[in-house]
Amino acid sequence: MTEPPVPRHIAIIMDGNGRWATRRGLSRSEGHQAGAEPVRAVLRAARQAGVRYLTLYAFSTENWGRPEEEIQGLFVLLMKYLQSEVAELMATGVRLEAIGDLETLPALAREALTVAMDCTSGGRELTLTLALSYGSRAELARAASLLALEVAAGAREADSITPQTLAAKLWTSGLPDPDLLIRTGGDMRLSNFLLWQCAYTEFYFTPTLWPDFGEADFQAALDSYQTRERRFGLSV
Ligand code: FPP
């Protein structure tokens, strides 16, 4: 019997931290803190399942509009996560990457990210990509601008631009497209995440709030994926 397919790349929209906290009379920042544990659990489960790429939507371009205190709390949490996990990431062959407008991140967070990416650059088991200050529309506009500059400089012809040349200018260049996208928290939308890359991705939506998402929920998403018939626009 053939083994059921394991998604090579899983992308996750980790939604519901705020509602989880509000229901408990806690601050939104405490909800985000509770959201760090499922990150560990999902990474562990993904490695064990043989997933090669895991991409997490940790901070969107739109999230800059949140209260200053919440934004600061998120970056402190990110730095704590990187400092506490880097040894484990190295020991388990996880390479850390980041996508997004990283120049806009607070300097200390950017430094912590650079150190963690350098330390884990030898990881070969799984690539963990954090989307930080990420927005798909900004990513696509930037790619178009880079190509326009090449055309203006005479380095390429306008009609040489193909889906492949555009994809090569995205922050995700080098990452395969996601096979499975999971969104927690009950909403069924992409929220400006990987719009181009999800053209043929399978979607899994669950009402479970991110801090409550555990290995069993991750397994349920994998089980659902394994029932899907992927046709990529071809006939059966
Ligand atoms: C959306 O929930 C979640 C975020 C904006 C932040 C995601 C961050 C984490 C899960 C923290 C841990 C991450 C790492 C990498 C250590 P929301 O606040 O929009 O929830 P709501 O829809 O219930 O208000």
Side-chain angles (χ1 to χ4, degrees), residues 14-20 28 31-33 35-36 39 56-60 63 66 70 74 77-78 81 130 187 209-210:
M14 309 179 287
D15 198 15
N17 296 347
R19 277 164 287 164
W20 184 93
R28 296 182 61 82
H32 297 313
Q33 283 164 32
V39 170
L56 304 178
Y57 204 7
F59 193 86
S60 73
N63 288 155
R66 293 195 177 199
E70 183 178 347
L74 272 166
L77 179 62
L78 172 70
Y81 172 82
L130 299 181
D187 289 327
L209 303 176
W210 177 251

Side-chain angles (χ1 to χ4, degrees), residues 41-61:
V42 162
L43 178 58
R44 199 166 45 235
R47 265 198 306 106
Q48 281 164 5
V51 172
R52 303 306 302 272
Y53 299 88
L54 181 66
T55 299
L56 304 178
Y57 204 7
F59 193 86
S60 73
T61 41

